[in-house]
Amino acid sequence: MLLSAKSTTLGLIMIWLCCTVQTSNVLRILGIFPFQMKSQFVMGEELLKALAAKGHQVDVYSHFPLKNPIPNYNDISLEGTLPALTNNVTIEAVTSIPDTVQLMDSWYRDLCHPICDLLRMPQFQKLIRDPPKDPPYDIIIMEFSMTHCFIPFGRHLNVPVIGVQALPLYPWQYDAFRNPVNLASEPNFVTSYFNPMSFPERIGNFITHNRLIRLAHKYSDIQNNYILKYFGEGFPHAADLLKDVALMFVVEDFSLFGAKAFMPKIVPVAGLHIANQSETLAKQVQEWLDESTNGCVVFTFGSMIKIETLPRHIIEAFYKSFENIAPVRVLMKIAKPELLPAGLPSNVLTQTWLQQGAVLKHENTRAFVTHGGLMGTQESIYYEVPMIGIPIFFDQHYTLNTYASKKIAIKLPLYEVTEATFTHALRQILQNPKYRENVQKVSRQMKDRPVSVMDTALFWVQYVHRHGKDALKSASEDMPWWQVSLLDVYASLVTLSLLAVFICIQLLKLIFKILISSTRKSKTSEIKKRN
């Protein structure tokens, strides 16, 4: 009995120790995603869900609360506080301004104020005035496209800030993080350039890079007003707050966009949102794909664009092309099918929403017609599906030009879509095996990692918690730009060189004068001797 009691006591102690150790490693994580664009949230959502699955407590402020709650994941919903962008953007809204920088200026003007003004909401006011203390937050994970006004939460709560961005680095982020950028070989993702760039393209790349930095400064001033209004005095300017970022996850991968140099705090995680996809298809979609024995083309322009707002002649060109490739089937995402013109072919099934990863993963999916969004195209590559890309705006031209150069996609400009051009593109993707072989090759390279992309992200989140917000910080971030650029060194070297040249010139002048004087004295002496 005594032995049994001792064993029981020892067992309880071991359980208590295990629970204590486990609890001591549990983090309380604050997720802040105030931008109402679904595509900018999916990557952060997957990371936060994975952290919750590891036992960490996650509180998420977003416009997209989970439909099926999971343990350790607590939604603080912002749904309905801003106009919805999902399935709510017309083609005209994103094509009326052809210059990408001007389009970004327009978007920032329309979105920056309302996003930052969310800080007035009771959800955020409570977080500012009465943050949780039992336990307090350990880390903040937030979206960074246009939300600098939320970075002060890091200083306010005295915790590291980790950024998640479903895009490559913006030019102003390169600048703030002192991350090297080679504008001769790294096309800006809002341009349509791809390597190797011509001389005019390199000039355009340089100009675009610097235009975007100026644009960021303009809107940083606006965001700074909201920081002063809601957080008060004592915070750096919004532009300088980027230096508070301890770690940044970005949608980059050398297998897709070429090799680039990144500081340790910049971690490429292309495909992070794909890592744990386990969606179950709706019955109708599952049956449609299962019965598509001749293959199926998946057609979607992402979570925002309403395909039904395309010009009628383009939609009719799609219809005729779909008929031309029958018996191949088409699965098409249309937000409001009732707005489509009559005449939809019988080999087309429309859905108001698609579980995109799951349909691309299906064995009968043969091609993907896409606007070129990074999330969808990476899913297509991951599941080895070649693409037809019809870019609409922003980074989509750059992305699809890059993929077309790798022969894993055919790029077709929107206003060049006709029955002939679209049918030709479909037949090339469906019948030319080179496209599928090429995408399989790129997919293998993308997946060839020492550890999974999700495990990579989880490791670095915990690394920052273990070692602090400055663990990955470069000393150059706290240096003025002119020191980082070595302008003081160059100036001193030029000054010393000029001083050396000046001294040499003065010495030569002095020597010349002495020689002239000596020659004159010699001549004068000779004349005197003759006389």
Side-chain angles (χ1 to χ4, degrees):
M1 288 293 291
L2 184 61
L3 183 60
S4 176
K6 286 182 177 179
S7 299
T8 302
T9 303
L10 183 60
L12 290 171
I13 291 171
M14 291 299 293
I15 292 171
W16 177 82
L17 285 172
C18 289
C19 291
T20 303
V21 171
Q22 185 177 3
T23 304
S24 67
N25 291 326
V26 170
L27 306 181
R28 186 166 190 183
I29 298 170
L30 172 62
I32 302 179
F33 291 80
F35 190 13
Q36 74 272 36
M37 187 181 288
K38 178 67 174 176
S39 60
Q40 296 298 306
F41 176 62
V42 291
M43 193 171 83
E45 180 183 31
E46 288 303 320
L47 175 59
L48 292 166
K49 284 163 64 176
L51 286 162
K54 292 288 185 181
H56 303 296
Q57 183 180 346
V58 180
D59 298 332
V60 185
Y61 291 71
S62 84
H63 301 269
F64 308 99
L66 295 179
K67 293 180 180 179
N68 300 306
I70 60 174
N72 306 320
Y73 189 109
N74 176 40
D75 275 307
I76 299 91
S77 178
L78 304 175
E79 191 173 17
T81 57
L82 293 177
L85 294 178
T86 303
N87 288 338
N88 202 33
V89 178
T90 66
I91 290 292
E92 184 182 3
V94 291
T95 58
S96 58
I97 304 175
D99 182 87
T100 303
V101 178
Q102 290 180 8
L103 179 63
M104 286 184 67
D105 192 353
S106 172
W107 275 60
Y108 268 67
R109 184 179 63 248
D110 294 341
L111 295 172
C112 184
H113 286 288
I115 287 174
C116 286
D117 202 41
L118 286 176
L119 287 165
R120 67 179 166 77
M121 299 296 295
Q123 300 96 310
F124 287 115
Q125 284 298 303
K126 178 174 174 56
L127 187 60
I128 291 171
R129 295 172 182 172
D130 186 26
K133 297 181 177 63
D134 188 26
Y137 287 115
D138 298 293
I139 273 179
I140 297 173
I141 297 177
M142 61 179 291
E143 191 275 332
F144 261 5
S145 290
M146 52 179 70
T147 53
H148 296 184
C149 47
F150 289 83
I151 300 177
F153 274 114
R155 292 194 178 209
H156 184 70
L157 302 176
N158 194 30
V159 295
V161 175
I162 295 174
V164 177
Q165 185 166 285
L167 287 167
L169 278 184
Y170 286 104
W172 58 86
Q173 293 168 340
Y174 276 101
D175 197 39
F177 300 147
R178 299 293 190 247
N179 198 91
V181 57
N182 188 333
L183 296 177
S185 63
E186 297 177 22
N188 189 288
F189 71 91
V190 304
T191 69
S192 58
Y193 309 143
F194 61 95
N195 280 316
M197 289 186 284
S198 65
F199 177 66
E201 287 173 340
R202 281 181 279 129
I203 292 175
N205 198 43
F206 173 82
I207 291 171
T208 301
H209 182 87
N210 287 284
R211 285 180 69 194
L212 288 170
I213 289 175
R214 289 198 300 273
L215 178 68
H217 289 161
K218 171 183 174 181
Y219 285 98
S220 288
D221 289 339
I222 293 172
Q223 298 203 37
N224 200 59
N225 294 332
Y226 286 97
I227 292 171
L228 289 171
K229 181 177 180 180
Y230 293 113
F231 288 97
E233 301 283 347
F235 290 90
H237 191 277
D240 295 324
L241 275 168
L242 273 174
K243 296 175 183 176
D244 280 8
V245 177
L247 176 66
M248 187 78 173
F249 293 120
V250 292
V251 177
E252 288 272 13
D253 192 284
F254 65 87
S255 65
L256 304 181
F257 302 111
K260 299 179 184 179
F262 289 119
M263 305 293 279
K265 74 189 308 181
I266 312 299
V267 179
V269 289
L272 181 67
H273 69 294
I274 309 171
N276 297 316
Q277 283 185 349
S278 57
E279 299 169 305
T280 302
L281 289 170
K283 182 181 178 182
Q284 185 184 20
V285 175
Q286 184 71 55
E287 290 176 352
W288 181 264
L289 288 169
D290 290 344
E291 294 167 4
S292 298
T293 53
N294 293 294
C296 185
V297 175
V298 176
F299 190 131
T300 171
F301 279 0
S303 61
M304 292 170 50
I305 301 296
K306 297 165 70 175
I307 294 175
E308 58 272 29
T309 64
L310 282 166
R312 186 183 181 94
H313 72 276
I314 293 179
I315 295 177
E316 289 176 348
F318 288 150
Y319 285 4
K320 291 173 183 176
S321 297
F322 295 152
E323 287 179 338
N324 293 339
I325 63 169
V328 174
R329 288 179 161 188
V330 178
L331 179 60
M332 198 172 186
K333 182 235 163 192
I334 300 290
K336 294 184 177 179
E338 66 273 14
L339 298 181
L340 284 174
L344 188 72
S346 60
N347 64 328
V348 179
L349 174 67
T350 63
Q351 294 284 293
T352 56
W353 189 259
L354 285 180
Q355 295 154 303
Q356 194 165 270
V359 297
L360 288 169
K361 187 179 181 179
H362 196 280
E363 60 182 1
N364 288 336
T365 299
R366 296 286 183 269
F368 182 39
V369 181
T370 172
H371 64 314
L374 277 170
M375 300 292 100
T377 58
Q378 286 176 15
E379 288 171 344
S380 191
I381 292 169
Y382 190 88
Y383 294 121
E384 303 176 356
V385 180
M387 294 167 272
I388 296 171
I390 304 174
I392 308 298
F393 70 113
F394 203 41
D395 60 307
Q396 296 155 15
H397 297 275
Y398 161 77
T399 300
L400 290 171
N401 276 334
T402 303
Y403 293 164
S405 72
K406 295 177 181 291
K407 300 293 189 293
I408 62 175
I410 293 174
K411 180 190 171 188
L412 185 60
L414 178 64
Y415 292 104
E416 292 181 18
V417 171
T418 64
E419 178 187 355
T421 58
F422 191 55
T423 300
H424 176 75
L426 283 167
R427 285 176 173 160
Q428 280 290 303
I429 290 294
L430 291 168
Q431 297 171 10
N432 187 339
K434 284 296 180 184
Y435 288 99
R436 182 165 287 275
E437 291 168 7
N438 289 337
V439 79
Q440 288 170 344
K441 179 181 177 182
V442 176
S443 182
R444 286 194 299 270
Q445 187 181 4
M446 180 183 174
K447 297 172 187 173
D448 193 358
R449 294 171 164 270
V451 294
S452 73
V453 66
M454 182 59 78
D455 286 341
T456 299
L458 293 174
F459 169 81
W460 286 111
V461 168
Q462 295 177 77
Y463 182 94
V464 166
H465 174 254
R466 289 194 299 270
H467 302 290
K469 65 186 182 79
D470 293 330
L472 302 172
K473 186 175 182 178
S474 166
S476 61
E477 289 186 44
D478 294 323
M479 297 168 64
W481 67 269
W482 48 270
Q483 285 186 3
V484 174
S485 303
L486 292 177
L487 290 185
D488 53 344
V489 175
Y490 296 143
S492 65
L493 291 175
V494 170
T495 302
L496 289 172
S497 299
L498 292 174
L499 182 61
V501 170
F502 176 77
I503 291 171
C504 288
I505 291 172
Q506 295 304 313
L507 285 172
L508 288 172
K509 284 182 178 180
L510 180 60
I511 292 169
F512 186 71
K513 284 181 180 180
I514 291 170
L515 289 173
I516 293 293
S517 176
S518 176
T519 303
R520 285 176 179 173
K521 286 180 180 179
S522 177
K523 286 182 179 180
T524 303
S525 177
E526 287 180 8
I527 292 170
K528 286 181 178 179
K529 285 180 180 179
R530 288 175 187 173
N531 293 334

